[in-house]
Every structure is written in structure tokens, then in C-alpha cells.
Amino acid sequence: MARKLKTYQTSLGFFDLAIAAPSMKAALEAWGADSNLFHQGAAKESDDPGVIAAAMAKPGVVLKRPVGSDGPFGENAELPTNLGDGERAANAVRKSKGRNAKKPSSRPVDKAAERRAALAFEKEQKRRERERASEEAARQKEHERRQQAVDKAQAALETAEREHAKRVAAIQAEMEVLEKKSQAEDARWGKERGRLEAALRRARD
């Protein structure tokens, strides 16, 4: 059964954010908050009819507007125009937080609209889950591709190292054979030279 949605509002960075979600936890997850903004007094359940209508029209979608403004919420928003004025920007943030401190007021309940909004939220949530799963699958595929490339390069290096070691061993063996031949030649020449020098001395005598 689809859970009843509520509209939650906060301010993060340069934007006011709003979302129609079944719980504060779901809102925090959609906002990507790394702390409980509700416990900190930085988020609230909205009682603004315009904010509620905009959020309920797109359940599960994070809506934005420049921080401190009273304009409509939308999926995209321009940066605040008062960023160059530190005092006005600070006042805008304080104003936004002041709005967040209000208590939710009662409002007429449209059960059919709430059910449609709840179903739309679940649909949006499933779409985001599919998107995250697709992104994770793409990351995993890219990781596997890179790992295969690393494994291939590592195998090529190891093969080249083995071939190099084999060639060095063959050259070393050839050098040992040549060294033995050189030593044998030196020994032969020593004897031959001794014989020839003895003959030369006899001839001179």
C-alpha cells in the first residue's frame, strides 16, 4: 500500500529545497544530506500551499529555488542574485531558516490526490533506484574493463620478463662456452709459444 506523502523543505548551499516524500528519512536521502537536518532545525514539514502543490505535482523529485526567495520551486533554479552582497545573502539564509521554524498547519486533505502523489513518489523512487543500479552496473563494467586491461598488461610484462631471462641465460651459457674456449686457446698458445721460442733459441745458438 502506498504511504501518505508529506512535503518537506530545507536550505542547502545556495538553494531552498522541497520534496514530497513519505518520511523525513526519505527526504534526507533524496536531498543527499549527510546529517539529520530536521533534528538540527534546518528542515521542516512545509505548510506553504504553493510549496506543497509544487512538490505533490512531482513526488520524489527534489525541487529548488534560490535560497531566501519567495519564488516558485522547480526542478532547475538559478543561483541567487544577491551572492555579491554578503549581508543580504546572510539575511536571506536567516529568513529561510525563520520560515523553517514554523509549525505545520492543518490543511484540507484530498485522499485521492494523496494516493496519486504517493504512487507517483514510489514510481519516481523506483526510477531513481533503476538509475542508480544502471550507474553502478556501468561503473562495475568499467572497473572490469580496466582490470582486464591491467591483467593483460601484467601478463605481457611477465611474459617479456621470462623471455628476457631466457635470453640472458642463453647469452650467459654462450659466454661460459667462449670463456672455456678462450682458456683452452690460451693454454694451447702457451705451449705452442714455448715450443717455438725454444726452437728459436736453438737456431740462434
Side-chain angles (χ1 to χ4, degrees):
M1 180 178 178
R3 296 173 63 184
K4 179 180 177 181
L5 299 186
K6 296 180 180 179
T7 298
Y8 299 103
Q9 191 174 341
T10 190
S11 295
L12 287 177
F14 298 121
F15 299 102
D16 289 338
L17 306 179
I19 188 171
S23 66
M24 294 179 180
K25 180 181 178 182
L28 292 171
E29 289 177 354
W31 289 333
D34 54 7
S35 61
N36 193 324
L37 301 177
F38 293 97
H39 287 176
Q40 297 168 8
K44 67 162 189 173
E45 180 183 347
S46 179
D47 61 345
D48 186 318
V51 176
I52 294 169
M56 288 297 182
K58 294 185 176 181
V61 177
V62 177
L63 304 180
K64 302 177 182 179
R65 72 181 178 190
V67 66
S69 76
D70 294 319
F73 279 90
E75 291 188 60
N76 300 298
E78 299 292 333
L79 286 171
T81 57
N82 59 359
L83 290 180
D85 188 333
E87 182 60 29
R88 284 192 297 160
N91 290 335
V93 173
R94 285 195 292 271
K95 181 179 177 182
S96 177
K97 289 186 176 179
R99 287 201 308 272
N100 287 347
K102 295 179 182 178
K103 297 291 184 181
S105 62
S106 59
R107 59 180 183 275
V109 177
D110 185 337
K111 296 294 185 181
E114 284 189 349
R115 283 196 296 272
R116 288 195 299 271
L119 290 172
F121 174 85
E122 291 183 357
K123 182 178 179 180
E124 174 63 18
Q125 191 174 45
K126 289 178 180 177
R127 184 195 68 77
R128 286 203 305 266
E129 289 173 354
R130 288 194 301 270
E131 190 175 80
R132 283 195 295 267
S134 178
E135 290 173 353
E136 179 59 29
R139 283 193 296 270
Q140 182 64 26
K141 185 176 181 180
E142 176 63 13
H143 173 73
E144 291 175 355
R145 185 193 68 77
R146 291 185 178 182
Q147 189 59 48
Q148 289 175 355
V150 169
D151 292 344
K152 183 177 180 181
Q154 182 66 34
L157 174 60
E158 292 174 354
T159 299
E161 286 179 338
R162 287 194 297 270
E163 182 64 24
H164 169 68
K166 186 187 299 183
R167 291 182 179 182
V168 168
I171 292 170
Q172 186 65 35
E174 290 176 3
M175 289 174 63
E176 290 175 359
V177 170
L178 291 173
E179 180 63 25
K180 290 179 180 179
K181 287 182 177 181
S182 177
Q183 292 174 357
E185 177 60 21
D186 286 343
R188 186 200 66 78
W189 170 242
K191 293 178 181 180
E192 179 68 11
R193 182 174 181 175
R195 184 182 66 79
L196 293 172
E197 286 178 346
L200 178 60
R201 285 194 300 270
R202 286 194 299 270
R204 286 176 176 173
D205 292 342

